[in-house]
Amino acid sequence: MSSVIAAVSTGNQISAIGILRLTGTDCAQVAGKVFTLNSGVPLWEAPNRKLVLGTLTDTKGRVIDQCMAVYTRAPHTYTGEDTVEFHCHGSPAVLAEGLNALFAAGAVPAKRGEFTKRAFLNGQLDLTQAEAVIDLIEAETADAAANAAGQVGGRLQKALAPIYDDLTNLCSHFHAVLDYPDEDIEDFGLDNYAGTLRSNAKTLYALLQTYGQGRILRQGVAAAIVGKPNVGKSSLLNALAGYERVIVTEIAGTTRDTVEETVMLGATRLRLIDTAGIRQTEDRIEAIGVERSKQAVENADLVLFVCDGSQPLSDEDKEVIDVCLDADNAIALINKTDLGSVVQPSDLPFMQVIPVCTKTGEGLDLLADAVDVMFAGDMPCDGSILTNPRQFDAIRRAYESMLSALQGLKLAQTPDAVLLDVEAAMEAMGEVTGNTVREDITARIFERFCVGK
């Protein structure tokens, strides 16, 4: 872990400021070969955590920037190692030449997520915090950012640590009695731990229950727009997206496959899925689109049923309605109110029915309010919501193992049999925090990161 790695941590777009980042033993000596302080002091003797002004040179020794540098000494750094950052003018050419000069001076290119991976391996972050870093970078709403920031701060780790400690104490007590029978150790009794197991299982169950909210917080609400052909489904997507995302014509059946677009509607992030019109058709390609539409309804968090309010409800409309009625969340939209409406809200078997005009935007504000009521809610967004599918799977396995251990207690199984389930729960929880996670899993996790983070 002593090699010095370097990367541009601010992307390759023109910006006011661009940052070159290094970490590793002797990174100040490497950086000092391409950066000269105006004060004449060597970079490795610069004050800790203070910006200093100097010149950055390229591989030919030419000055390419007057910039600031900051040298931060281990262990109180992001990675736990010495780090140097150059705060340059944000020219991609300057950053590229500066990076090449650092490589020539002895640094090696950082891999994706390697800075954060070193932070994890050096004990600066546990795995929940490390994964939350990329969630924070990728957050598209303030709520998602707030929840990720809470997890970067250790909220999830702090919730899981006492449970892991309780399971560790249980196992260590059993093995101490078993391995040291002559020592004055309190007799081991599983019944003494039943309450602890039950309480911790409840805690894990409550955490698992937040995952539905967390998935929406992270990915947005999957909203399937459905209806028979030519009722304005694609026009609705375009109206909410604010531009012509989908081709719209008067020809029925224009949309033959699902089309997705992410939009903010009110305070809710929607992943809109425009579907092929649901109807009986002899066209083989259109029929495939219809089946995909039905599948989209089954997988959606929200179904938006659209009908043409200027025409009486047809058998095709009623067929689509039947598809929608099993959805947990559904809103009916009576479209084309500018043409007059012969369809009344009472004609539709939905809890919420909103007249809209995708052409003028009428009623879309009411749709935004309805969606916010369904999904915006009062989520704490403080790091206590589980958003990561890998973590959800591991915590689910830990919970199931703890239930199995409790069942073993009821059946009066021997302590060693019950402890197999307890140890399985510990193994699963260790995958969440990184205590027992395999190297291939950590490699896959940090591949999600950009270079420079």
Side-chain angles (χ1 to χ4, degrees):
M1 193 59 69
S2 61
S3 63
V4 176
I5 59 173
V8 178
S9 63
T10 48
N12 58 3
Q13 301 297 316
I14 294 175
S15 60
I17 301 294
I19 296 176
L20 291 168
R21 174 179 291 168
L22 303 88
T23 191
T25 305
D26 297 328
C27 70
Q29 283 73 16
V30 170
K33 295 177 182 179
V34 303
F35 182 80
T36 304
L37 277 69
N38 287 358
S39 65
V41 174
L43 179 60
W44 52 88
E45 294 181 7
N48 191 41
R49 295 176 179 270
K50 290 189 177 181
L51 284 167
V52 292
L53 181 63
T55 57
L56 180 67
T57 56
D58 65 10
T59 54
K60 298 177 182 179
R62 297 178 302 181
V63 174
I64 55 173
D65 200 7
Q66 293 280 337
C67 61
M68 308 293 288
V70 58
Y71 175 30
T72 308
R73 293 165 173 81
H76 304 297
T77 66
Y78 180 72
T79 62
E81 307 168 334
D82 284 359
T83 64
V84 172
E85 285 187 354
F86 294 124
H87 293 229
C88 309
H89 293 90
S91 160
V94 167
L95 296 173
E97 288 302 310
L99 189 60
N100 287 334
L102 290 171
F103 294 154
V108 297
K111 299 175 183 176
R112 296 177 71 89
E114 190 169 0
F115 288 89
T116 303
K117 186 175 183 179
R118 290 193 179 196
F120 164 64
L121 294 175
N122 290 330
Q124 301 295 99
L125 303 171
D126 84 329
L127 202 53
T128 65
Q129 293 171 294
E131 287 185 289
V133 170
I134 189 62
D135 289 340
L136 182 56
I137 292 171
E138 294 178 347
E140 296 188 20
T141 66
D143 284 347
N147 194 71
Q151 292 190 359
V152 170
R155 179 67 183 261
L156 184 57
Q157 186 272 339
K158 291 172 184 175
L160 296 177
I163 300 175
Y164 191 86
D165 288 345
D166 284 342
L167 299 180
T168 301
N169 291 338
L170 191 160
C171 291
S172 62
H173 185 185
F174 170 76
H175 287 294
V177 171
L178 187 67
D179 295 339
Y180 303 100
D182 297 331
E183 297 293 330
D184 185 19
I185 301 174
E186 182 182 356
D187 287 341
F188 178 79
L190 276 175
D191 290 342
N192 298 332
Y193 289 99
T196 298
L197 284 173
R198 191 172 295 109
S199 174
N200 287 335
K202 287 181 178 179
T203 300
L204 292 185
Y205 178 77
L207 183 59
L208 291 171
Q209 293 302 107
T210 69
Y211 182 66
Q213 291 177 313
R215 181 179 56 80
I216 289 174
L217 187 66
R218 185 182 184 189
Q219 300 177 356
V221 175
I225 305 172
V226 298
K228 71 178 186 182
N230 216 26
V231 294
K233 300 185 299 300
S234 296
S235 296
L236 175 64
L237 185 145
N238 288 343
L240 296 177
Y243 73 105
E244 295 296 314
R245 172 66 176 84
V246 185
I247 296 173
V248 175
T249 74
E250 71 281 359
I251 302 171
T254 302
T255 302
R256 295 194 168 202
D257 200 354
T258 55
V259 178
E260 293 195 24
E261 180 70 16
T262 300
V263 304
M264 285 299 298
L265 183 64
T268 306
R269 181 169 166 247
L270 293 183
R271 289 190 295 112
L272 293 172
I273 306 164
D274 183 23
T275 65
I278 297 177
R279 66 173 176 176
Q280 298 296 327
T281 178
E282 298 299 324
D283 186 313
R284 187 167 61 90
I285 297 176
E286 186 179 357
I288 294 173
V290 170
E291 287 305 311
R292 290 185 179 180
S293 298
K294 293 178 179 179
Q295 188 67 44
V297 171
E298 292 180 8
N299 296 332
D301 303 306
L302 170 65
V303 173
L304 299 175
F305 166 75
V306 183
C307 67
D308 180 351
S310 67
Q311 303 291 328
L313 292 175
S314 67
D315 289 341
E316 287 182 343
D317 285 311
K318 294 173 183 176
E319 181 182 347
V320 181
I321 290 171
D322 289 340
V323 173
C324 297
L325 289 180
D326 289 334
D328 292 333
N329 299 293
I331 298 174
L333 303 176
I334 301 175
N335 193 23
K336 304 186 182 181
T337 55
D338 58 323
L339 301 178
S341 184
V342 298
V343 179
Q344 301 303 314
S346 58
D347 297 332
L348 299 170
F350 292 87
M351 292 291 291
Q352 296 197 67
V353 181
I354 302 172
V356 300
C357 178
T358 57
K359 185 176 181 179
T360 65
E362 178 189 352
L364 296 185
D365 56 337
L366 298 177
L367 174 60
D369 291 340
V371 170
D372 278 348
V373 168
M374 284 182 172
F375 295 100
D378 295 318
M379 292 187 290
C381 298
D382 57 0
S384 60
I385 298 175
L386 191 60
T387 62
N388 185 296
R390 187 195 70 82
Q391 294 170 0
F392 172 79
D393 178 68
I395 292 173
R396 176 189 57 78
R397 287 186 279 113
Y399 171 70
E400 290 174 352
S401 294
M402 291 173 73
L403 289 185
S404 183
L406 286 167
Q407 183 66 20
L409 285 177
K410 289 182 180 180
L411 297 176
Q413 292 180 348
T414 58
D416 57 329
V418 174
L419 259 66
L420 287 176
D421 289 317
V422 173
E423 290 171 349
M426 289 181 62
E427 178 78 16
M429 290 191 64
E431 291 179 23
V432 180
T433 59
N435 291 345
T436 59
V437 72
R438 301 195 314 268
E439 185 175 346
D440 61 324
I441 294 177
T442 58
R444 195 176 310 125
I445 288 170
F446 290 106
E447 283 174 359
R448 290 179 57 207
F449 285 65
C450 56
V451 173
K453 188 55 182 175

